[in-house]
Amino acid sequence: MRTILNSVCNRRFGPLPCRTAPPTAPPPDTLAALRERLAAAPNGVLEAVAAETGVSLLAVTECLPDGLRAFAPGETAEAAMLDMAEWGTVTVLVHSADLVLECKGPLPRGQFGRGFYNLAGGSPIGGHIRLDRCRTVGFVRRPFMGSADSASVVFFNGDGEAMFKVFVGRDDARQLLPDQVERFEALKARLCGAPGQTA
């Protein structure tokens, strides 16, 4: 699994150039329609909504009701990663047009070197992340498909797309781990400040 994750990270964050111009802002009527849609049904696959409407995943996430999302600037990405390294078993997810790759385990503590944020060993989760490309850290807690509740930390790049997500772990009954939920909420409050704040 680590080899696969490394390959995905290298392919997504390797020598490819990063778009320097900010993504075009969606038209106001598109955003209004998204807000209405997501207020009525916030539990779908947001990547599918983004593809359907032709906007970035970040724009879709920003259209969730205020109580379901909050944002911090990308400069807080390392602080978020270090905090989550103390949470225990989480699920790291990479979602592209070609795959949805999940890996469960403790998130290793990382450190910067040679342009990457390198995750240490000792866990099924490993890899090398261009964390400097993170522009926004999103905290999303919402119902998701068959689950009553989900909580994730989403690292968005400058194009408004998800580099990767870290999901709060679940117990054998598929319920969110209470101690991790507390840590998630505490980290959100520390990095985002006011509820629903946009970076």
Side-chain angles (χ1 to χ4, degrees), residues 62-134:
E62 289 175 335
C63 288
L64 285 167
D66 287 350
L68 303 185
R69 85 294 188 276
F71 304 95
E75 291 79 6
T76 66
E78 183 182 12
M81 292 292 288
L82 291 173
D83 193 287
M84 291 187 294
E86 307 297 327
W87 290 12
T89 299
V90 295
T91 298
V92 174
L93 184 146
V94 176
H95 188 153
S96 75
D98 302 308
L99 61 81
V100 178
L101 181 67
E102 299 180 9
C103 187
K104 295 182 181 181
L107 187 67
R109 291 182 67 85
Q111 61 182 2
F112 283 100
R114 299 190 177 184
F116 288 86
Y117 184 76
N118 302 293
L119 300 179
S123 171
I125 299 171
H128 313 281
I129 305 169
R130 289 295 299 271
L131 206 59
D132 61 312
R133 295 192 184 182
C134 180

Side-chain angles (χ1 to χ4, degrees), residues 50-74:
E52 177 187 333
T53 55
V55 303
S56 71
L57 180 62
L58 177 58
V60 171
T61 306
E62 289 175 335
C63 288
L64 285 167
D66 287 350
L68 303 185
R69 85 294 188 276
F71 304 95

Side-chain angles (χ1 to χ4, degrees), residues 7 10 26 32 39 47 50 64-65 77 95 117 122 129 144 152 162 176 179 188 196:
S7 175
N10 286 337
E47 285 84 355
L64 285 167
H95 188 153
Y117 184 76
I129 305 169
F144 179 68
S152 62
L176 296 180
D179 61 322
K188 178 176 71 173

